[in-house]
Each structure stands twice: as structure tokens, then as C-alpha cells.
Amino acid sequence: MKYLFIHQNFPGQYLHLVRHLVRQGGNEIVFISEDNANVIPGVRRVRYRVPRMATDRAHPGVRDLDMGLMRADAVAKAAQTLKTLGFVPDIILGHHGWGELLNIQDVYPNVPVLGYFEFYYHTEPGFDVDFDPEFPMAPEVIPLVRAKNTVNLLALTNPGYGQTPTEFQKSTYPRWAQDNITVLREGVDLEMCRPDPKAAKKTLKVGDVRITPKHKLVTYVARDLEPYRGFHEFMRALPRVLDEQPDVQVVVVGGDGVSYGARLPSGCWREIMLEELKGKLDLSRIHFVGKVSYETFRALLQRSDAHVYLTYPFVASWSLREAMAMGCALVGSATAPVEEFITDGETGLLAPFTEPERIADAILELLTNKPLAKRLRAAVRQEAERSLCMASYLADYEKLIARLIKDHSTTEQVQDKQVQTKDREKDAAVAQASASKPRRARKTVAKTNGAAPPATPVKAPARAHVAVKKVASAKLAAKTAVVAKSSPSVRKKRRPSAR
């Protein structure tokens, strides 16, 4: 089969699927994206460039749309080049978040498109915006949040099909759009991400940090350390944990940027929280290791005695799935995205996002109650095997793709038949209209008993008739002139002129 993937950050959410299709063999895989250093052998990359950034002079509400339309133009241009070179895919897969798919149906109108719908923004309670009372939403921000859905709405009204990884994410979209979005749960490599019973008996080194078998390890992981992932509340839970457990070491993984929330005018949230908690933390036992390799990430979670994952009602991180697969004793926030994965008291412990004391309670419970921690570890691994199996995920993905291609083909055939039916109906209507017109009466020919029929005078055309009249008039005038010349003239008396 021929696959066309589109995602500005190659390979994005398609890493596992693309690798699987390459290993499968017999597939032609083309990936349109912006430039980066990532490489997957067997994948043909087509790079595009955004001509400019969104203009600062534009209204803030349309800047995402401006960038989205520029990406859509660039992707369509790249796709048109592929089409000119003879590449026509069987299926197109891409992420709708950046607008790259908005014009793809103009290039490949007969190819099914499966778009990744990640999140639909809301201003009402229950979602990420205005969730945290510490950061109330300014009134002027409300229309800007609504405007962030412009690309989303264009994508939803374009032809194609949708996928999303969780029921929560699907629930964020308008009800009228949800029937066209399939929940396809993303899987985890259960062989690579698995528990390591021997990890607690070995010394773990992460840079200059040494975690020995005598230590209890608390871990926290996020792409960036920011409020959206509960970093501020996690830090506020640490003073009590460190005070009550002197053998605890804390390793924090993540960068100092902002992936989802509002940008800071200066500094970073790590510095802000260290300043807020100054004098309350034993900094010799808290280790900020930044972003680490995947191997180090796995080693940390396999060794962790309590792993903390917190998030706003937003998109759940891949690290949560991987922590489940590695059998972590989990403390999660009691928010919808986490509750879809973790059942409180069965596969982990949940605590209110905005209550650091309750978060600390849950961490301490896992550190001090070994039977509970052991039971939760086993249960969460079983849940991962049931719902996060990579093989099942890829098989479901291929079934979905096959169904969409079949449905799309059937739909096209039905549309073709409808067009053909309409054409036949139109032809029949024309034929019927022609048949219903009154026919001219046939001329009858008189019987002559073998003799030639009398010649029928042919009526001259109107212009010819006028010409004949003119000739006749001219002849009559000539005769009159001859007669007048040969006859004695009759002179009329002139009327006397008045003087």
C-alpha cells in the first residue's frame, strides 16, 4: 500500500505505526513535514518550509489561523509535486492541530484522509482553561480561546475521517462532530517498558545523581516543568514528604520551557517554585536532571517507589502510559484524563490536583505501605497489558485504515452510480419530451393513373418575390415610357403666377 503521512514534527504520533509499516514490507511510505534530524530507514521524507511567522500586526485571535493556512499551502504544494511525479496514496494520515491538512483534498480529492484530532478548546468549566484557581482567566482571553478552534472547525467540516486516543479527548469536540471521530487507544511497547524487579537492588546513576538500594525514590516527569502538568502543586507537596521520609530522594525530569500554558515574561517555573519554597526544601535530595534519554527515563521509572503524574483536564502524556506499563506505583491527579487510565485504589492513588497536602498523603502512603504499593504495581501492569498493548493498537490501526479505504471506495461507487442514474434519467426525459412534440402533417400525393403529377408551382422566397416585383415594375415603366413618347402631348394650362 501507499501511505502519505503529514506532521510538522516528523514522526510525531506516527512513530510506532510508521516503524511497523516499514518492518511489514511492501509498503511505500512518504512523510511530509518540516525539517528535523529524525530518521526512519525506509521512509521517504518530503520537507516543506513555512515562508514566514504569523504577523504581530494581525489580531491575536487569527494568528494560529494565519500560520495554519501557510502550512496548508506549503503542504499542498509539496503534495502536488508528489502527484506530478506519479505518487497517489491509498490513504493520507496527518495531524489537524497545525492546519497542514486543510488543503490536501484539493490535491487528492479521491483519497481518504484520516486526521488526528487532539483537543477542542473550551471556556466553560471542566477543561483546561480556567481550571486552576491560582491562574484565573482574564475576560479578554475568552474570545481568543474560542478563536483557537478555527483550524479545528475547518478540519471538522472538510471531507475525511477522524481519530483520537482517548474518550476524554473525543468528548471535548462538539457532539455533531463526534460520530466521525474514532477512539484509537495508543499502545506502549510492553517488552521495552516492563517492570524490573531487580532495579531496587541496584545503584542507579543519572548524571551526578546516585540512587542506592537504601534510598526511596520519588519521580516526576513532564516535557516541561509547568502548571499544566501540576509541577507547582507537586513541589508544594515535597516539604512534608522530605520531612517525614529522610531516606527519600526526588528526581524531577523535564525542561524549563513552557509547552502548553502561558509564557512567562522571564525566568521559569522551577526558579519560581524554588523561590516560593525557599527554606522549606532539602535541596540536597531534590535533583532536577532536565531532559534525559529514553533509556534513562525507563531506568528511573523501573526504579521509582512512587511516580507522580498530574495534569489539568487536557491531553494525557505518553509518559503516563509508559509508567503504567513499567508497573509504577502511581499517584495521579483526580482529573478526567487521568481517571480514564487509573482507578483510585485499584491501579493507583488519585488526589485532588489543587491540594498538595492530599498529594503528599498519597505519596507517603505508597512509600510506607509496601503491600499496597505491590498490589497497585501488579494491577496497573495488568491494565497496561489489557488496554495498552502495542500489537493490538497497531492491528486496530490497520483495521481502521482498511475500513476507511473500503468505505470511501464504496461511497465513491455509490456516488458514481447516482451520477450515472441522473444522466440516464436526464436522457430519458429529453427523449420523452421529443416524443411528445406534435408531428407535422404529411403531404398527400394525388393519384394520376400513371401520368406525371401536375407540377406544383414553387413559391419564391420573400426576397426573390420582391425582386420579381421590381423587375415587373421596371418593365411596366419602360412600356409606359414608350407609349407616352408615341402619343400626342397634352399640355396643361399654367396657373398664372401672382405678382
Side-chain angles (χ1 to χ4, degrees):
M1 277 183 54
K2 295 181 179 180
Y3 293 85
L4 175 59
F5 290 89
I6 301 171
H7 192 299
Q8 51 93 22
N9 185 26
F10 168 78
Q13 281 86 350
Y14 302 106
L15 171 66
H16 299 297
L17 177 61
V18 169
R19 283 178 174 172
H20 169 70
L21 294 174
V22 170
R23 288 193 301 266
Q24 196 176 64
N27 297 310
E28 186 175 356
I29 304 166
V30 178
F31 207 118
I32 298 177
S33 71
E34 288 191 89
D35 191 25
N36 62 25
N38 297 332
V39 176
I40 298 179
V43 178
R44 176 183 171 193
R45 292 195 60 185
V46 178
R47 295 166 174 82
Y48 75 86
R49 293 177 61 186
V50 180
R52 61 172 176 81
M53 300 302 293
T55 176
D56 292 336
R57 291 180 293 178
H59 189 285
V62 300
R63 290 174 189 167
D64 283 350
L65 176 61
D66 185 28
M67 286 297 298
L69 293 177
M70 282 192 288
R71 290 184 185 278
D73 288 343
V75 167
K77 185 177 179 181
Q80 185 61 56
T81 300
L82 286 170
K83 186 176 182 181
T84 303
L85 294 173
F87 179 77
V88 178
D90 297 299
I91 184 79
I92 298 171
L93 300 98
H95 197 299
H96 279 302
W98 295 277
E100 294 166 300
L101 300 182
L102 291 178
N103 299 341
I104 198 67
Q105 73 268 17
D106 300 329
V107 182
Y108 292 116
N110 298 320
V111 178
V113 178
L114 177 56
Y116 192 106
F117 287 103
E118 191 161 21
F119 195 76
Y120 191 92
Y121 293 92
H122 291 260
T123 55
E124 66 270 21
F127 300 92
D128 59 325
V129 175
D130 215 22
F131 166 76
D132 195 334
E134 190 172 343
F135 309 104
M137 181 171 54
E140 61 270 18
V141 174
I142 295 175
L144 300 182
V145 173
R146 287 197 297 266
K148 286 178 73 68
N149 286 319
T150 306
V151 171
N152 248 332
L153 288 167
L154 286 172
L156 289 170
T157 55
N158 273 353
Y161 311 87
Q163 70 170 102
T164 197
T166 67
E167 292 289 349
F168 168 71
Q169 285 167 266
K170 180 178 178 177
S171 75
T172 67
Y173 282 85
R175 295 198 177 196
W176 56 263
Q178 291 182 19
D179 287 345
N180 201 37
I181 300 175
T182 299
V183 174
L184 189 64
R185 298 190 179 279
E186 293 171 340
V188 177
D189 187 334
L190 296 176
E191 287 300 313
M192 181 175 289
C193 297
R194 65 183 187 275
D196 181 3
K198 298 179 181 180
K201 300 175 182 179
K202 299 181 291 187
T203 296
L204 174 64
K205 294 182 180 179
V206 181
D208 296 331
V209 181
R210 293 178 76 256
I211 308 297
T212 71
K214 295 180 179 180
H215 291 135
K216 294 176 182 176
L217 177 61
V218 175
T219 53
Y220 172 94
V221 175
R223 180 188 301 175
D224 284 302
L225 309 179
E226 58 182 318
Y228 253 72
R229 297 308 191 195
F231 172 68
H232 56 317
E233 303 293 13
F234 169 70
M235 289 295 292
R236 289 165 182 157
L238 289 182
R240 185 169 151 229
V241 172
L242 293 171
D243 286 346
E244 295 188 19
Q245 296 291 312
D247 55 350
V248 161
Q249 298 285 320
V250 180
V251 174
V252 181
V253 176
D256 284 332
V258 175
S259 294
Y260 305 109
R263 303 284 175 181
L264 292 169
S266 61
C268 63
W269 283 105
R270 177 178 55 82
E271 295 170 344
I272 290 172
M273 295 313 301
L274 287 175
E275 181 63 28
E276 177 186 316
L277 298 170
K278 192 173 183 178
K280 299 179 181 179
L281 297 171
D282 181 355
L283 296 179
S284 67
R285 293 193 284 149
I286 303 177
H287 313 284
F288 296 95
V289 296
K291 296 182 178 181
V292 299
S293 68
Y294 193 65
E295 183 180 359
T296 299
F297 162 76
R298 288 191 297 115
L300 278 167
L301 266 61
Q302 287 170 330
R303 172 62 180 83
S304 176
D305 293 293
H307 179 68
V308 182
Y309 179 79
L310 312 172
T311 184
Y312 283 8
F314 191 57
V315 178
S317 307
W318 285 353
S319 68
L320 172 60
R321 299 169 172 87
E322 291 159 329
M324 292 173 63
M326 286 184 273
C328 287
L330 278 161
V331 174
S333 57
T335 49
V338 180
E339 290 170 332
E340 188 169 339
F341 289 90
I342 304 298
T343 301
D344 186 31
E346 294 183 16
T347 54
L349 299 180
L350 301 181
F353 181 95
T354 56
E355 299 183 27
E357 280 298 313
R358 297 279 297 277
I359 296 171
D361 286 341
I363 296 172
L364 290 167
E365 181 71 14
L366 293 178
L367 295 178
T368 58
N369 190 337
K370 289 186 177 182
L372 173 64
K374 183 178 180 180
R375 176 173 63 81
L376 294 177
R377 284 176 180 278
V380 79
R381 170 65 186 189
Q382 288 178 358
E383 175 60 24
E385 291 173 352
R386 184 192 69 81
S387 62
L388 299 176
C389 173
M390 179 65 73
S392 299
Y393 161 63
L394 294 173
D396 290 343
Y397 221 141
E398 289 191 285
K399 288 177 185 176
L400 176 61
I401 289 171
R403 177 171 64 81
L404 296 184
I405 292 174
K406 181 180 178 181
D407 291 350
H408 190 81
S409 176
T410 303
T411 301
E412 282 193 323
Q413 291 173 2
V414 170
Q415 290 173 345
D416 289 342
K417 287 182 179 179
Q418 289 174 344
V419 170
Q420 292 171 6
T421 301
K422 287 182 179 179
D423 288 344
R424 285 195 296 268
E425 291 174 351
K426 184 178 179 181
D427 292 342
V430 171
Q432 186 177 358
S434 300
S436 63
K437 288 183 179 179
R439 296 181 179 181
R440 294 182 180 179
R442 293 181 180 179
K443 294 181 180 180
T444 58
V445 180
K447 293 183 179 180
T448 58
N449 295 324
T456 303
V458 179
K459 187 177 181 181
R463 291 185 180 178
H465 188 62
V466 171
V468 170
K469 280 188 174 182
K470 287 183 178 180
V471 171
S473 298
K475 289 181 178 180
L476 180 62
K479 287 183 179 180
T480 304
V482 171
V483 172
K485 191 173 182 180
S486 59
S487 303
S489 61
V490 180
R491 298 182 66 181
K492 291 184 180 181
K493 291 184 180 179
R494 291 180 64 185
R495 187 175 294 178
S497 61
R499 291 188 179 179

